[in-house]
Amino acid sequence: MRAALLNRRTSIPGGIEHRSCAKAGRGWHGAARKDAGSRDILSLRGRERLSYSQSRTARRSCKAAAMCQTSFRQRCTENENLRAAFPKGTAMDCLDFLFTENNPVPSPCFVLDEPRLAANAATLDEVQRRTGARILLALKGYAAWATFPLLSRAGAGPLWGTCASSVDEARLGREEFGGEVHAFAAAWTAAEIAELLDLADHIVFNSPAQWRQFRPVIEAHNRAHRADNPIACGLRLNPEHSEGATPIYDPCSPGSRLGIRRRHFDPADLMGISGLHFHTLCEQGADALARTLDAVEARFGPWLPGCDWINFGGGHHITKPGYDLDLLCACLTRWRECYNARIYLEPGEAVALNAGWLTATVLDVVMADMPVAVLDVSAACHMPDVLEMPYRPEVFYRHDGATTRAGNAGEEGWTCRLAGKSCLAGDVVGEYGFAAPLQAGQRLVFGDMAIYSMVKTTTFNGLRLPSIGICAAGPDSAGREMRFSLLREFGYQDFRNRLS
């Protein structure tokens, strides 16, 4: 059994307290056990692992302030101008480029910002280097595969692989990103597992029943085809600790179907399992993670020492300005040292945060209770989180020769409502203040559009998907400081072929 944690508190540099972590042995049930043909948490670690008697590192508590963070998607009313978040020579150069005369960027178009992607990747790599943790790209949040060479260790990037929520995401990760492929879904079908056998390195199950159902086929495949690199299987935990500010994005809400609660947890189900997974966060800081880790230890602490790996899931806003990297690194290091396990993180937003734009054009201005600017983009089709979350994205425009951020309603000289062109009456982005009335033909640019917007677009009403392009540093043929490459345009066949 795992030894009781000592409650003696001491101080460490930086003001973070820790409690000493003492271990009497390995595994979840005292003596190590080995199930023939499988590799599990109940068994001894692999050859690369140190024994717990060799690892007696202090256990840092990583506690932080108790204040819950609000959703980053509400930043438009809480943060300063988005321009302040970008140093000269990165994302704002791309934004300014989008307003240059005669630039080649169409409308509407998702524009990926290569310098900002590289800056985000560098921040994530710093975390890896400081802690030994492995960071995976969550494809559910960002899957623009043309940029994968910039992000993946298989190319010029630092990330170890991808996490997938479906077979198709797993295949994209395997074929385009490289590295490790981790897969989790609320439930898997037999056909999906059959495909994942040749795609995934880790498969995480949402329930013991699904693990019992698919364990035989996975272990048979490992013995026959992957003896040297077996698929690692895990279970998702639900620590019943909510940090999310928006219920629809709270995986630990009372009615959540995601993860195993402590009262439903049976250690006997861990035979053959090599790691555990949990995910409580949504666009939140390291303080929320620290509280989550305390909750996981409080409910599942006796079984953590047996883990070969522990996956902290996603929702970590690591690249947001002001994020507490020191606290994150302290938490990751403490768990790695205390439990002698490989630690994984699966951020999606952090990889491409503030690294994408959506160009739009004013088509008309009509009168309702206030002026309504009808755009060539749609909140329902091209920015669905605007309606689902909901949130109000940043908007930029050109005024008096300068790139300007639109204000809140009533803040500037002219207020209007920005709306999409679909037939949905509620296809509304929000209300904004501008220095002067918008005119038909005028360009607007929406900020932070690489994440979730691109992967969630639809062709409702037959509206064409925005084109996709990338903006990179370096002069183009016209001598501009940035160069743009058009990656993809969409047309009638994309709409037609998905329907029958």
Side-chain angles (χ1 to χ4, degrees):
M1 292 290 291
R2 176 190 181 204
L5 292 175
L6 301 180
N7 288 321
R8 175 174 58 85
R9 290 182 179 270
T10 54
S11 61
I12 60 176
I16 300 174
E17 295 181 328
H18 77 275
R19 290 168 291 180
S20 296
C21 181
K23 312 180 190 73
R26 305 171 65 178
W28 290 349
H29 297 279
R33 292 159 52 183
K34 185 69 176 177
D35 178 34
S38 69
R39 176 170 166 268
D40 56 56
I41 295 181
L42 301 179
S43 67
L44 286 170
R45 299 298 184 87
R47 290 189 300 271
E48 67 180 2
R49 300 299 185 193
L50 297 174
S51 70
Y52 279 109
S53 62
Q54 294 174 294
S55 178
R56 304 179 60 208
T57 308
R59 176 177 176 265
R60 303 182 184 95
S61 69
C62 305
K63 290 184 179 290
M67 181 182 67
C68 292
Q69 289 195 344
T70 55
S71 169
F72 183 75
R73 285 297 195 183
Q74 298 166 344
R75 67 191 180 281
C76 54
T77 58
E78 299 167 344
N79 293 353
E80 296 180 353
N81 191 327
L82 187 61
R83 176 185 289 272
F86 301 121
K88 186 66 177 174
T90 59
M92 291 310 299
D93 286 333
C94 179
L95 178 59
D96 289 333
F97 172 80
L98 298 179
F99 288 105
T100 57
E101 291 188 11
N102 302 317
N103 72 67
V105 183
S107 176
C109 182
F110 288 113
V111 180
L112 305 172
D113 194 320
E114 184 177 290
R116 187 59 189 177
L117 281 170
N120 286 346
T123 299
L124 298 174
D125 192 35
E126 177 188 349
V127 173
Q128 293 184 143
R129 288 185 287 102
R130 290 175 60 180
T131 67
R134 292 188 176 185
I135 296 179
L136 311 172
L137 166 62
L139 293 172
K140 63 184 177 183
Y142 178 75
W145 52 269
T147 63
F148 286 177
L150 185 68
L151 303 173
S152 171
R153 291 170 64 88
L159 304 187
W160 284 86
T162 54
C163 67
S165 301
S166 65
V167 169
D168 285 350
E169 283 188 352
R171 180 175 176 180
L172 185 70
R174 174 62 66 209
E175 294 182 354
E176 302 294 343
F177 198 94
E180 300 181 33
V181 176
H182 294 218
F184 166 82
W188 297 108
T189 68
E192 288 171 333
I193 291 294
E195 289 191 65
L196 285 175
L197 293 176
D198 294 321
L199 297 174
D201 299 293
H202 285 212
I203 301 177
V204 175
F205 294 92
N206 193 52
S207 73
Q210 282 247 303
W211 166 232
R212 289 191 295 268
Q213 178 184 356
F214 296 119
R215 179 184 176 188
V217 68
I218 293 173
E219 292 186 345
H221 183 82
N222 281 344
R223 288 191 295 269
H225 304 287
R226 300 186 60 160
D228 295 332
N229 182 32
I231 297 171
C233 293
L235 292 176
R236 176 164 174 166
L237 306 177
N238 185 334
E240 300 177 82
H241 176 80
S242 291
E243 289 283 351
T246 305
I248 192 175
Y249 296 111
D250 180 5
C252 292
S253 64
S256 174
R257 72 196 186 286
L258 301 172
I260 306 164
R261 292 165 173 80
R262 177 63 184 88
R263 62 184 176 275
H264 304 137
F265 180 84
D266 184 353
D269 292 321
L270 295 169
M271 189 66 69
I273 293 295
S274 61
L276 296 172
H277 175 286
F278 52 87
H279 180 162
T280 68
L281 307 182
C282 177
E283 303 177 336
Q284 288 167 299
D287 56 336
L289 173 62
R291 294 189 293 271
T292 290
L293 298 182
D294 287 342
V296 172
E297 288 180 312
R299 289 170 173 80
F300 300 99
W303 299 280
L304 296 175
C307 291
D308 207 35
W309 53 270
I310 304 172
N311 191 318
F312 288 11
H316 313 277
H317 239 188
I318 299 169
T319 54
K320 177 185 176 181
Y323 184 94
D324 192 342
L325 288 178
D326 290 337
L327 178 59
L328 172 66
C329 291
C331 290
L332 298 178
T333 301
R334 190 261 289 184
W335 271 56
R336 177 178 59 82
E337 294 177 344
C338 184
Y339 299 115
N340 194 28
R342 175 165 290 158
I343 304 300
Y344 289 97
L345 299 177
E346 299 177 341
E349 290 216 4
V351 175
L353 185 66
N354 294 325
W357 314 92
L358 175 59
T359 62
T361 300
V362 178
L363 302 180
D364 195 8
V365 179
V366 300
M367 284 302 301
D369 56 332
M370 66 170 61
V372 180
V374 182
L375 310 178
D376 63 349
V377 296
S378 163
C381 298
H382 307 145
M383 299 175 276
D385 270 0
V386 167
L387 304 182
E388 289 180 13
M389 196 156 210
Y391 84 102
R392 178 182 174 279
E394 296 276 351
V395 175
F396 297 88
Y397 67 107
R398 199 73 170 171
H399 179 68
D400 286 344
T403 301
T404 305
R405 170 189 175 274
N408 295 322
E411 284 187 353
E412 305 293 340
W414 187 75
T415 292
C416 78
R417 183 177 298 124
L418 300 182
K421 60 178 294 182
S422 80
C423 71
L424 179 66
D427 190 356
V428 173
V429 180
E431 297 176 3
Y432 295 81
F434 295 87
L438 296 179
Q439 304 295 323
Q442 186 170 347
R443 168 161 287 189
L444 303 178
V445 175
F446 292 90
D448 197 19
M449 284 290 146
I451 49 178
Y452 283 104
S453 293
M454 293 180 67
V455 296
K456 297 177 76 170
T457 54
T458 76
T459 57
F460 173 62
N461 271 187
L463 297 186
R464 292 184 178 177
L465 301 177
S467 301
I468 300 174
I470 188 167
C471 205
D476 66 3
S477 58
R480 288 178 286 244
E481 295 182 3
M482 302 293 291
R483 63 181 185 274
F484 173 79
S485 299
L486 184 63
L487 302 176
R488 178 73 189 272
E489 291 181 298
F490 298 90
Y492 169 69
Q493 294 299 327
D494 298 293
F495 168 66
R496 175 186 179 277
N497 292 343
R498 66 183 295 270
L499 295 174
S500 61

